[in-house]
Amino acid sequence: MKRLISVFISLAILASSAAHAGTGIQEAYERALKNDSILQSARHYQKAAEAVRDQTRAGLLPSVTGQYIASKYDTDRYDKYDTRDLSINLVQPVFDMGKYLQHGQSRYTLESSNAKLKSAESNLIVRVVTAYINVLYAKDKVELMKKKQDGAKEQLVQAQKMFSAGLVAVTSIHEAQANLDTVGYDIVNAENEYLNAMVDLESITGKIDGVKCLAREFGYGVHDIGTLDEWIATATANSSDVEYYRAQSKYADDTVRIIRSQHLPTVNLILNYRKSDQVSNIKSTETTYKSIAAQLSVPIFNGGYTSARVQENRERFYQSVSDMNSALNDVKKKVAESYTALLGSKAKIAALERTAASNSLAYESNKKSMTAGVVTLVDVINAQNNLFDSLSRLLQAKYEYFTGYTTLKYHAGVLKPSDVGFLESIINSECKVN
């Protein structure tokens, strides 16, 4: 039965699978890595987060400022004179809890950006795989409709011969012609779907030279996808969405500590070097000044502003925890939906294989029965429509299996570039077989 189905499908895609023409899915993905604007945006966001880390580190390091003033004076009491004033000032934070906490908090900004980048990278794989497989399906559908058209032409020729022999009425010719015209319209629609699918794919990858073909003998029914509990556990530990909100909640928690630290004093060490030849704008002998000082700042009262901000950001922390829990629940839901859909795809493929085999036998039987005058041309046309409809749905189901598996791994947070290589090996192996 599976051999019979493979024959029909192979005939449908013979022209497209006879050679290695076209861009493979691995190459399409590599092009998308350079071309996709969404991924580029995530990369820039991540680089900006790295810069934030550097900014907070700078707050813990000494700051040095230099100043040089050259002045000209013209007064009533003194002759005209020039003065020069050079100063260098260094401030080293000794104790500033807020700055220490801000530097620690910046790692959560980086974790959030890394999670966003990971999500964008995985999402790109999903989009490339989905768009590529949509092209494959649309391409095969065109070929399948052309095979259907060949059958419709044979029916028209047979109807004309039977009419000439006085075996059928002229209405049989009209019915055969109408069926052929309908199939022609279906081909036009299928070709439009292919063009639209190519536009979608190239919007991600840039211009490519068509696509390759996908294996039809992959063991869909025996491919072990594990249990739902295993996938949920994997998603809980690896989902980039959960990682993002987890980092956001830690960031919000540190924000409370940072604001609370504004109640604490700060201590700075200040070093100063100055060389000047004026005192109170009066020309004098050049003198060098060197000083070292400890600066203590103690907040006393600011109207309760700091306390109010602590309360505000404590609530924002609780909000971020709720957001994280919602993200986790949403991921679990999406994993469960993707998992059950994938199981359904396996069952759907098996059912459609049986349906296609049955429809194939029915189609061949009706063609023979029409020659014997047992059934009418309408019966043959209906049998043909049923066969090619089941073949089209079978092709679609097999393609959806791969997009479904890719989506499941994406929601679980374990979709990797190597998964694109897995699909590439299937695509190339089929091209070698046919």
Side-chain angles (χ1 to χ4, degrees), residues 49-61 96-111 251 254-255 258 261:
E50 290 179 352
V52 170
R53 182 78 168 162
D54 294 337
Q55 291 173 38
T56 58
R57 185 188 299 114
L60 302 176
L61 301 177
D96 192 327
M97 184 58 69
K99 290 183 178 180
Y100 283 107
L101 291 174
Q102 283 177 344
H103 182 56
Q105 184 191 47
S106 65
R107 71 178 180 271
Y108 300 126
T109 301
L110 189 57
E111 287 180 9
Y251 182 93
D254 271 6
T255 300
I258 290 170
S261 71

Side-chain angles (χ1 to χ4, degrees), residues 259-279:
I259 296 173
R260 189 183 290 124
S261 71
Q262 293 176 9
H263 290 299
L264 302 176
T266 60
V267 178
N268 292 323
L269 178 66
I270 302 175
L271 301 179
N272 181 264
Y273 173 88
R274 181 186 177 200
K275 181 183 288 187
S276 177
D277 60 357
Q278 58 94 9
V279 177

Side-chain angles (χ1 to χ4, degrees), residues 113-134:
S113 68
N114 287 338
K116 275 187 170 293
L117 179 58
K118 175 185 173 184
S119 178
E121 290 172 341
S122 298
N123 180 260
L124 177 63
I125 296 176
V126 173
R127 288 186 290 120
V128 169
V129 169
T130 300
Y132 194 95
I133 285 183
N134 285 343

Side-chain angles (χ1 to χ4, degrees), residues 14 17 41 125 136 145-147 166 170 175-176 190 196 253 258 275 280 298 311 319 321 330 363 367 380 423:
L14 184 60
S17 62
S41 174
I125 296 176
L136 289 175
M145 291 300 101
K146 288 180 179 179
K147 292 305 299 180
V170 70
E175 289 167 350
N196 291 334
D253 190 26
I258 290 170
K275 181 183 288 187
S280 299
V298 181
Q311 180 60 32
Q319 177 188 0
V321 172
D330 187 53
Y363 177 51
K367 285 199 297 182
V380 176
L423 287 177

Side-chain angles (χ1 to χ4, degrees), residues 65-173:
T65 57
Q67 182 175 322
Y68 178 77
I69 301 176
S71 304
K72 288 182 175 292
Y73 291 90
D74 185 2
T75 68
D76 295 337
R77 295 182 58 187
Y78 304 100
D79 295 332
K80 295 180 180 180
Y81 60 89
D82 300 335
T83 64
R84 302 288 184 270
D85 193 311
L86 169 68
S87 65
I88 299 176
N89 197 62
L90 181 148
V91 178
Q92 171 62 59
V94 177
F95 178 79
D96 192 327
M97 184 58 69
K99 290 183 178 180
Y100 283 107
L101 291 174
Q102 283 177 344
H103 182 56
Q105 184 191 47
S106 65
R107 71 178 180 271
Y108 300 126
T109 301
L110 189 57
E111 287 180 9
S112 296
S113 68
N114 287 338
K116 275 187 170 293
L117 179 58
K118 175 185 173 184
S119 178
E121 290 172 341
S122 298
N123 180 260
L124 177 63
I125 296 176
V126 173
R127 288 186 290 120
V128 169
V129 169
T130 300
Y132 194 95
I133 285 183
N134 285 343
V135 172
L136 289 175
Y137 172 63
K139 180 183 179 184
D140 282 355
K141 188 176 179 180
V142 171
E143 299 301 325
L144 199 61
M145 291 300 101
K146 288 180 179 179
K147 292 305 299 180
K148 184 178 180 180
Q149 186 182 53
D150 292 341
K153 289 178 180 178
E154 291 177 4
Q155 292 163 19
L156 178 58
V157 171
Q158 187 176 11
Q160 290 170 339
K161 289 180 178 179
M162 294 180 71
F163 173 73
S164 298
L167 299 176
V168 296
V170 70
T171 54
S172 294
I173 297 178

Side-chain angles (χ1 to χ4, degrees), residues 117-383:
L117 179 58
K118 175 185 173 184
S119 178
E121 290 172 341
S122 298
N123 180 260
L124 177 63
I125 296 176
V126 173
R127 288 186 290 120
V128 169
V129 169
T130 300
Y132 194 95
I133 285 183
N134 285 343
V135 172
L136 289 175
Y137 172 63
K139 180 183 179 184
D140 282 355
K141 188 176 179 180
V142 171
E143 299 301 325
L144 199 61
M145 291 300 101
K146 288 180 179 179
K147 292 305 299 180
K148 184 178 180 180
Q149 186 182 53
D150 292 341
K153 289 178 180 178
E154 291 177 4
Q155 292 163 19
L156 178 58
V157 171
Q158 187 176 11
Q160 290 170 339
K161 289 180 178 179
M162 294 180 71
F163 173 73
S164 298
L167 299 176
V168 296
V170 70
T171 54
S172 294
I173 297 178
H174 297 325
E175 289 167 350
Q177 183 63 56
N179 180 52
L180 181 60
D181 293 341
T182 300
V183 175
Y185 174 74
D186 291 339
I187 291 176
V188 172
N189 278 343
E191 289 174 340
N192 289 337
E193 289 176 6
Y194 171 73
L195 292 176
N196 291 334
M198 279 298 299
V199 169
D200 289 341
L201 177 59
E202 290 182 340
S203 69
I204 304 172
T205 64
K207 186 68 176 177
I208 61 173
D209 299 323
V211 294
K212 292 187 177 179
C213 49
L214 183 64
R216 299 335 187 274
E217 298 303 320
F218 179 76
Y220 302 92
V222 298
H223 186 211
D224 183 19
I225 62 174
T227 67
L228 178 57
D229 288 341
E230 290 172 344
W231 281 104
I232 289 178
T234 299
T236 302
N238 297 284
S239 169
S240 55
D241 288 343
V242 176
E243 288 175 0
Y244 172 79
Y245 283 103
R246 185 180 291 122
Q248 288 293 95
S249 68
K250 292 177 180 178
Y251 182 93
D253 190 26
D254 271 6
T255 300
V256 176
R257 294 189 178 93
I258 290 170
I259 296 173
R260 189 183 290 124
S261 71
Q262 293 176 9
H263 290 299
L264 302 176
T266 60
V267 178
N268 292 323
L269 178 66
I270 302 175
L271 301 179
N272 181 264
Y273 173 88
R274 181 186 177 200
K275 181 183 288 187
S276 177
D277 60 357
Q278 58 94 9
V279 177
S280 299
N281 298 332
I282 304 300
K283 182 75 173 181
S284 66
T285 304
E286 184 177 83
T287 305
T288 298
Y289 304 87
K290 300 176 183 178
S291 67
I292 181 171
Q295 181 188 60
L296 172 67
S297 298
V298 181
I300 297 176
F301 180 72
N302 64 355
Y305 176 75
T306 301
S307 297
R309 287 198 64 204
V310 168
Q311 180 60 32
E312 173 198 353
N313 283 275
R314 185 182 292 115
E315 295 301 324
R316 295 193 184 281
F317 165 67
Y318 296 146
Q319 177 188 0
S320 67
V321 172
S322 297
D323 290 341
M324 181 184 67
N325 291 332
S326 295
L328 179 58
N329 291 333
D330 187 53
V331 165
K332 289 179 178 179
K333 178 183 177 183
K334 289 178 178 177
V335 166
E337 290 174 347
S338 299
Y339 182 85
T340 54
L342 193 60
L343 289 180
S345 291
K346 294 173 68 173
K348 184 178 181 180
I349 289 168
L352 285 172
E353 284 178 339
R354 291 190 292 270
T355 301
S358 175
N359 288 339
S360 176
L361 294 174
Y363 177 51
E364 294 298 326
S365 176
N366 273 276
K367 285 199 297 182
K368 293 177 181 178
S369 297
M370 187 183 74
T371 304
V374 178
V375 299
T376 66
L377 180 62
V378 173
D379 296 318
V380 176
I381 292 174
N382 289 337

